[in-house]
Amino acid sequence: MNWTDERVEKLKRLWAEGLSASQIAAQLGGVSRNAVIGKVHRLNLPGRAKAGGSSSSARPAKRTATTQRPANFQARPAAATTRTVTRAAGATMLKEEVEVDAFQEIEVSRPLNVVVPISRRLALTELTERTCKWPIGDPMKDDFHFCGCEISDASPYCTYHAKLAYQPVSERRKAAR
DNA sequence: CCCTGATTCGC
DNA sequence: GCGAATCAGG
C-alpha cells in the first residue's frame, strides 16, 4: 500500500479525532501501526502528549474519543444534536428523539462519580478480547461501530454496557448510546 | 502482557 | 519516504 492523497487525508482526520495509531492502521488497512506513526511524524502532525507515549487513558492534555469522562460532563447536548442531524426518516427520527430524552433522564439521575465510556468507534475487525463489543448504530449504515472501549474482566462488554446487556430491551433503550 | 506513541536506521 | 524493530511508558 502506498500513501495516496486519500489515505493521507483519512490518516490526518482520524489522528485529529484522537484514534490511536493501531486503530487508524486497522481502518486504513494494509499498514501497521508503526507505519501510521512514522507517517504522522513525517507529516509533522502534532504528536500525542508526553514522550514515551501512553495508553489511551493517559493522554492528559488532549481530550479524545478514548478517554472517559464523568457522566454529567455534557455528553448529552452534543449527542442530541448529532442524532437529530444524522437521522432522516420520520419514524426513525421519532424513535431517536425518544431515546435521547430517555438518555437525558438517566444521566440526570446517575451519581456524579459514575463514568460513561466514550465509544472508540471500532469496526468489527478491530475488536479484540479486551474491547467492548456493544454495537452502536444501524448495521446497514456506514457509521455502524462498536463501543470498543477497554474492558478488564471476562465480560464481552465494558462495565457500563454490561449493565445494559442484561436488562430487558425496554430498559436498555432508555440508556442506549 | 496488554496497550500507547517516539525514535532509529536500513532499505 | 517508508516502516520494522526497538524503546519507554501506563
Side-chain angles (χ1 to χ4, degrees), chain A residues 56-99:
Chain A
S56 52
S57 61
R59 261 177 251 148
K62 304 186 185 304
R63 47 229 200 293
T64 72
T66 60
T67 57
Q68 294 194 337
R69 300 166 170 175
N72 297 22
F73 184 78
Q74 296 310 352
R76 192 226 319 104
T81 305
T82 302
R83 286 168 187 241
T84 308
V85 170
T86 308
R87 300 313 202 245
T92 308
M93 171 81 89
L94 181 60
K95 181 181 163 194
E96 283 300 319
E97 285 179 356
V98 168
E99 287 183 9

Side-chain angles (χ1 to χ4, degrees), chain A residues 117-122 132 134-136 145-149 158 161:
Chain A
I118 302 301
S119 167
R120 293 167 81 195
R121 304 186 64 87
L122 299 189
C132 177
W134 186 265
I136 298 173
H145 58 276
F146 293 83
C147 170
C149 72
C158 62
H161 286 128

Side-chain angles (χ1 to χ4, degrees), chain A residues 21-70:
Chain A
S22 59
Q23 289 168 18
I24 294 172
Q27 294 228 355
L28 288 172
V31 288
S32 67
R33 74 178 196 92
N34 279 321
V36 169
I37 292 172
K39 188 60 180 174
V40 163
H41 280 245
R42 268 172 256 121
L43 289 170
N44 285 315
L45 296 179
R48 298 281 159 77
K50 291 302 175 188
S54 54
S55 68
S56 52
S57 61
R59 261 177 251 148
K62 304 186 185 304
R63 47 229 200 293
T64 72
T66 60
T67 57
Q68 294 194 337
R69 300 166 170 175

Side-chain angles (χ1 to χ4, degrees), chain A residues 92-109:
Chain A
T92 308
M93 171 81 89
L94 181 60
K95 181 181 163 194
E96 283 300 319
E97 285 179 356
V98 168
E99 287 183 9
V100 169
D101 287 342
F103 182 51
Q104 290 174 338
E105 257 184 57
I106 296 260
E107 197 157 60
V108 168
S109 62

Side-chain angles (χ1 to χ4, degrees), chain A residues 122-144:
Chain A
L122 299 189
L124 175 62
T125 52
E126 299 175 85
L127 297 177
T128 72
E129 291 293 326
R130 278 164 295 287
T131 55
C132 177
K133 295 161 188 68
W134 186 265
I136 298 173
D138 185 339
M140 296 300 284
K141 294 183 178 176
D142 284 339
D143 68 342
F144 178 68

